[in-house]
Amino acid sequence: FDFSWHDPEYHQETLENLKAAVKLTKKLCAVMLDTVGPELQVVNKSEKAISLEADATVILTPDEGQEASSNLLPINFDGLSKAVKKGDTIFIGQYLFTGSETTSVWLEVSEVQGNDVVCVIKNTATLTGALFTLHASQIRIELPTLSDKDKEVISSWGVKNKIDFLSLSYTRHAEDVRHAREFLSKQGDLYQTQIFAKIENIEGLNHFDEILQEADGIILSRGNLGIDLPPEKVFLFQKAALYKCNVAGKPAVVTRVVDSMTDNLRPTRAEATDVANAVLDGSDAILLGAETLRGLYPVETISTVGKICAEAEKVFNQDLFFKKTVKYVGEPMTHLESIASSAVFIHPNDSIVNNVFIIVRAAIKVKASVIICFTSSGRAARPTMPVLSVVIPRLKTNQLKWSFSGAFEARQSLIVRGLFPMLADPRHPAESTSATNESVLKVALDYGKASGVVKPHDRVVVCQKVGDASVVKIIELED
């Protein structure tokens, strides 16, 4: 839910539709709130189309009372004239711009006049709609990453709807993430909300390692990055960033993959390859934008991208990925890791008690179709086959009332690639006193069958704790 666009009432209506769909399909779905942050916008109150001609000049003014025209564009920031200098590049396009040279415009700063910035238009284009995004290439904008408007939306709409994820737009430093986490910790249930740092400019790139350490996940916003970085360097950053996320055991999300499907039924060949490469590079999720916000073919877009992802996953070398990643788990090994003779991958950022342990080699040797893990934390790693993560709710109290935890963890697990989370009945504990948890296991297997990852005669590796012991068992399903 991107609050750069529309008001809370509009988003609430969309969310109610989503809740109805979740109830109808009986499928988990998580909610992410995307902040506005220090986003610069051109305001076109009349919503009339604006034609801009190459080599002509246009003035960017902070006076929002002015009417947008071919000669004058009002913007929502009065500090642009202090941030830019002659020769700087500014890009303006439709909100969630596609980068099309006919619907987006490149400007070069020619001079600054008081609070106004005079620019030379570099390409002929027509801007349509009420809102355009403005991006000043490699220029620091002196605005807070988490704005007062963002805080207001989070403390009202976000708290009311118990958002699972916060997409922190224009994250530039690790301190941005820490500040957002401190704010969330004071917002009731939102202390559980995970923060995904959205990397959108060169400043975020320069501090990527420290941001990754602080955030729960990363979103690579390639639309803005494609402006701040030379085109030939975008792929290199993507591969390096995804590799770092994989090694850190944190989900990575890639944006802007099939822009042409905003107006076309099929993606270009280059875009189809781009989607596949995002999967092969190790991304956990793909975030669509203009294609589904205002595109003509939103359903077809999701279907097409899903099919490409499925094909790419078929040829993804999970075994090589596992061997490369396990090197970074660290030593000495924990007792859970030693269970499978150095073949157990523990999530590197999890505590021993809450670890979901993946018995990969055992599963590979018996040609298991799926691994089932019982967990309270929802954490998991990516092995060569799907993982059914059975999240066991825990009873907790604040001295005034009792409640069950686990719903947040189950929904948040959805963003981890290869993971099929389900929320178990709280009456079935994660740490059983008997050797089997047959009832909850049956529920998990039924869920696996319904999800299409388990079928008759499949072998399944089950990981669970029995008291203080960690148990791994292999079962073969009947008809």
Side-chain angles (χ1 to χ4, degrees):
F1 292 86
D2 189 342
F3 277 81
S4 298
W5 189 255
H6 287 306
D7 53 30
E9 289 72 31
Y10 171 86
H11 290 305
Q12 191 65 44
E13 182 182 351
T14 307
L15 181 55
E16 295 308 320
N17 290 339
L18 174 63
K19 288 178 180 177
V22 166
K23 193 173 182 180
L24 185 68
T25 60
K26 294 182 173 61
K27 290 185 177 181
L28 282 175
C29 189
V31 171
M32 176 180 280
L33 188 157
D34 190 9
T35 64
V36 179
E39 181 175 87
L40 306 189
Q41 298 169 348
V42 174
V43 182
N44 180 21
K45 291 178 181 177
S46 69
E47 298 192 30
K48 293 179 181 176
I50 299 171
S51 297
L52 299 169
E53 296 292 329
D55 299 324
T57 60
V58 64
I59 297 174
L60 305 180
T61 178
D63 184 357
E64 294 186 47
Q66 297 270 19
E67 185 76 23
S69 67
S70 301
N71 310 112
L72 188 76
L73 296 176
I75 62 175
N76 67 343
F77 178 52
D78 60 8
L80 186 65
S81 61
K82 299 180 183 66
V84 298
K85 62 184 185 302
K86 183 177 181 178
D88 283 343
T89 299
I90 293 174
F91 179 86
I92 296 174
Q94 291 173 314
Y95 177 63
L96 288 176
F97 46 77
T98 61
S100 165
E101 290 299 294
T102 58
T103 61
S104 304
V105 66
W106 292 91
L107 308 175
E108 183 178 298
V109 176
S110 61
E111 64 174 313
V112 174
Q113 295 178 348
N115 289 331
D116 294 344
V117 178
V118 182
C119 301
V120 175
I121 302 168
K122 305 301 287 184
N123 67 286
T124 298
T126 300
L127 303 177
T128 58
L131 183 67
F132 317 118
T133 300
L134 182 151
H135 187 91
S137 180
Q138 299 194 25
I139 301 297
R140 176 172 175 82
I141 301 302
E142 294 296 337
L143 287 171
T145 302
L146 192 65
S147 67
D148 289 340
K149 179 184 175 184
D150 293 327
K151 290 179 179 179
E152 182 184 338
V153 167
I154 292 167
S155 59
S156 55
W157 195 92
V159 170
K160 173 185 174 183
N161 295 298
K162 296 183 178 180
I163 57 169
D164 302 293
F165 300 102
L166 182 74
S167 167
L168 190 60
S169 294
Y170 296 92
T171 302
R172 295 169 284 191
H173 297 269
E175 184 58 36
D176 295 339
V177 182
R178 287 191 286 268
H179 175 66
R181 201 178 300 284
E182 182 184 356
F183 179 75
L184 288 177
S185 69
K186 300 172 184 175
Q187 307 298 318
D189 286 335
L190 298 197
Y191 73 91
Q192 302 173 83
T193 298
Q194 290 187 358
I195 299 174
F196 273 54
K198 206 171 183 184
I199 308 299
E200 311 201 45
N201 54 30
I202 199 79
E203 196 170 358
L205 290 185
N206 290 336
H207 300 100
F208 184 84
D209 290 350
E210 63 185 62
I211 291 171
L212 176 61
Q213 193 171 359
E214 200 68 39
D216 295 300
I218 296 289
I219 298 175
L220 308 181
S221 185
R222 303 191 308 171
N224 283 338
L225 281 174
I227 298 167
D228 255 26
L229 285 174
E232 67 273 15
K233 293 194 180 289
V234 174
F235 86 95
L236 191 59
F237 163 70
Q238 175 177 315
K239 288 180 181 294
L242 290 177
Y243 179 74
K244 288 180 177 182
C245 289
N246 292 165
V247 167
K250 295 187 177 181
V253 182
V254 169
T255 72
R256 312 306 305 275
V257 289
V258 287
D259 287 342
S260 70
M261 289 195 74
T262 304
D263 302 305
N264 298 293
L265 191 56
R266 288 166 58 88
T268 65
R269 291 177 295 277
E271 287 173 329
T273 303
D274 188 34
V275 174
N277 278 327
V279 175
L280 298 178
D281 285 347
S283 61
D284 287 86
I286 285 173
L287 177 63
L288 298 171
E291 310 97 325
T292 50
L293 173 74
R294 56 179 170 79
L296 302 178
Y297 307 102
V299 176
E300 291 83 356
T301 297
I302 292 168
S303 174
T304 300
V305 171
K307 288 175 183 176
I308 298 169
C309 289
E311 286 297 317
E313 284 190 342
K314 288 178 185 177
V315 297
F316 184 79
N317 192 332
Q318 299 276 20
D319 195 35
L320 178 62
F321 170 84
F322 174 79
K323 288 174 182 175
K324 284 165 58 179
T325 313
V326 79
K327 295 177 183 177
Y328 294 90
V329 173
E331 295 180 353
M333 292 173 62
T334 68
H335 71 281
L336 289 177
E337 290 169 303
S338 63
I339 293 170
S341 302
S342 304
V344 183
F345 185 158
I346 305 298
H347 190 293
N349 298 315
D350 235 351
S351 66
I352 294 175
V353 175
N354 286 337
N355 269 320
V356 177
F357 44 97
I358 310 299
I359 315 301
V360 176
R361 275 191 196 154
I364 292 172
K365 285 182 179 178
V366 301
K367 293 185 169 68
S369 298
V370 68
I371 297 171
I372 297 179
C373 289
F374 297 95
T375 175
S376 297
S377 70
R379 297 285 192 180
R382 188 190 305 163
T384 55
M385 63 284 296
V387 177
L388 289 183
S389 176
V390 185
V391 181
I392 311 290
R394 283 181 170 175
L395 191 62
K396 62 179 184 176
T397 180
N398 61 2
Q399 306 303 317
L400 294 175
K401 64 179 181 178
W402 292 86
S403 63
F404 284 104
S405 67
F408 267 96
E409 291 84 350
R411 292 193 300 267
Q412 288 168 341
S413 297
L414 287 164
I415 208 163
V416 180
R417 177 165 153 189
L419 197 59
F420 291 78
M422 62 166 283
L423 189 60
D425 190 314
R427 291 169 295 184
H428 301 302
E431 299 183 13
S432 174
T433 53
S434 63
T436 56
N437 239 345
E438 298 304 339
S439 55
V440 71
L441 178 57
K442 183 179 184 305
V443 171
L445 289 171
D446 288 344
Y447 176 72
K449 291 172 186 174
S451 302
V453 296
V454 178
K455 58 186 185 298
H457 304 295
D458 277 353
R459 287 178 177 174
V460 176
V461 172
V462 181
C463 313
Q464 64 186 125
K465 285 181 73 71
V466 178
D468 292 330
S470 300
V471 174
V472 179
K473 60 181 178 182
I474 301 168
I475 60 175
E476 188 165 334
L477 304 183
E478 300 175 353
D479 290 330

